[in-house]
Amino acid sequence: FKAADKDVLQRIGYCYERVNKDYASASYHYNLANDIAPESTWTLRRLATCYRHRGLFEKAKNCYQELMVIEPENLSYSYYLGTCLIELGEFDEALQCFYKMDLEEEDNIKAWRGIVWCCFRSGKLDKAQQYNEKIIALQPDANDWLNAGHVAWCKGNLSQAVAYYRQGSQAATSPFAFRKLFQQDYQLLRQKGISKTDFILMLDLI
C-alpha cells in the first residue's frame, strides 16, 4: 500500500464498522491504515472502539495508551483506558485514570463512577463511600444507588444499604429492572462475603 491509500483504508474500515457492524474487518483495514500512517489519532480511536466491541480489551488498552502519549490533555482517552483496565481486572491502574480526570475537571461524574467501582472492587470501601456521597449529592441514577448500596452493605451498614437500594428501585425504569441489575451482581457480592441467604433476604427487603 502507498501513503495515498490511507484515506481509502480508513473509509473502508469505517463502512465495515458503522454500516455492517463487522468490527473484525474494520479492525483489519484500520490496522493497514495505521501501518501506513502511524500515530493518526482518528485511526487509533476507531481501532480502539472496534477492539472494545470485540472484547479485545488488551489491544484497546494499547491504543488508548498510545493516544494519551499523542494527546495527553484529552480526558476521553483516560476514561476509555480506565474502562478497558476495569475489564482486564486492573483496578488500581484504572483508578489512576479516573483520578486524573477528577483532578483535571471539576464535578466529573464519569470519573467519580469509575473511582467508586474501582475502589469497591479493590476493597477500598471508605474511598468508594466518599465518592458515592459526591455522586448522590449531584445527579445519581439507578446504578449509582445500586453501587452505594453495595458499598454500604459490604461495610456492614445494612439499614443504609436497604435505603440506597430502595432509592435505586425508585430511580430505575421499574422495580423489576432494578432487581435485574441487583441480581446481575450476585457473584460479585458473594465474592465480597455476602451469603446466598442474605442476598435473597435483601431482594425481599428492596
Side-chain angles (χ1 to χ4, degrees):
F1 289 104
K2 301 176 182 178
D5 295 326
K6 181 200 70 171
D7 291 343
V8 174
L9 290 166
Q10 286 177 329
R11 292 190 182 101
I12 293 171
Y14 194 72
C15 288
Y16 274 120
E17 178 192 352
R18 301 304 295 268
V19 178
N20 297 344
K21 309 299 182 186
D22 183 348
Y23 300 111
S25 295
S27 299
Y28 173 76
H29 287 86
Y30 289 147
N31 268 310
L32 290 175
N34 192 54
D35 288 342
I36 293 169
E39 298 188 355
S40 163
T41 56
W42 189 92
T43 305
L44 287 168
R45 285 199 309 270
R46 303 289 2 127
L47 189 54
T49 298
C50 289
Y51 283 146
R52 286 192 292 112
H53 278 293
R54 297 171 65 193
L56 301 175
F57 296 107
E58 185 69 36
K59 290 187 175 183
K61 178 185 82 170
N62 293 337
C63 290
Y64 289 120
Q65 287 174 331
E66 191 172 345
L67 283 163
M68 288 180 68
V69 172
I70 300 168
E71 294 182 348
E73 74 287 350
N74 191 322
L75 294 182
S76 70
Y77 302 151
S78 292
Y79 174 75
Y80 286 114
L81 175 58
T83 61
C84 289
L85 290 166
I86 286 175
E87 294 290 345
L88 293 167
E90 300 174 18
F91 301 111
D92 288 336
E93 292 81 359
L95 199 52
Q96 298 311 309
C97 296
F98 298 124
Y99 276 144
K100 177 183 178 181
M101 295 170 64
D102 185 38
L103 181 65
E104 296 187 14
E105 188 172 282
E106 186 178 359
D107 292 345
N108 190 321
I109 198 166
K110 290 172 68 174
W112 294 351
R113 285 169 173 151
I115 291 169
V116 167
W117 191 245
C118 290
C119 287
F120 175 63
R121 292 298 302 270
S122 57
K124 301 178 177 73
L125 298 182
D126 289 339
K127 183 63 71 172
Q129 181 181 24
Q130 175 189 339
Y131 276 86
N132 267 327
E133 290 170 354
K134 290 160 71 79
I135 294 171
I136 287 170
L138 190 63
Q139 193 179 9
D141 62 19
N143 274 297
D144 296 323
W145 290 114
L146 180 73
N147 292 336
H150 289 350
V151 172
W153 197 5
C154 290
K155 290 192 70 176
N157 194 336
L158 181 61
S159 61
Q160 185 67 76
V162 172
Y164 284 149
Y165 288 143
R166 286 176 176 170
Q167 289 278 2
S169 184
Q170 293 175 13
T173 54
S174 71
F176 174 78
F178 185 79
R179 285 170 67 90
K180 186 175 181 181
L181 285 175
F182 183 77
Q183 289 172 316
Q184 287 173 352
D185 286 346
Y186 171 71
Q187 291 297 338
L188 175 58
L189 289 168
R190 293 286 284 118
Q191 293 170 11
K192 295 295 182 182
I194 303 299
S195 71
K196 181 178 180 179
T197 300
D198 287 343
F199 185 87
I200 293 170
L201 289 172
M202 182 62 81
L203 268 176
D204 290 337
L205 288 171
I206 297 173

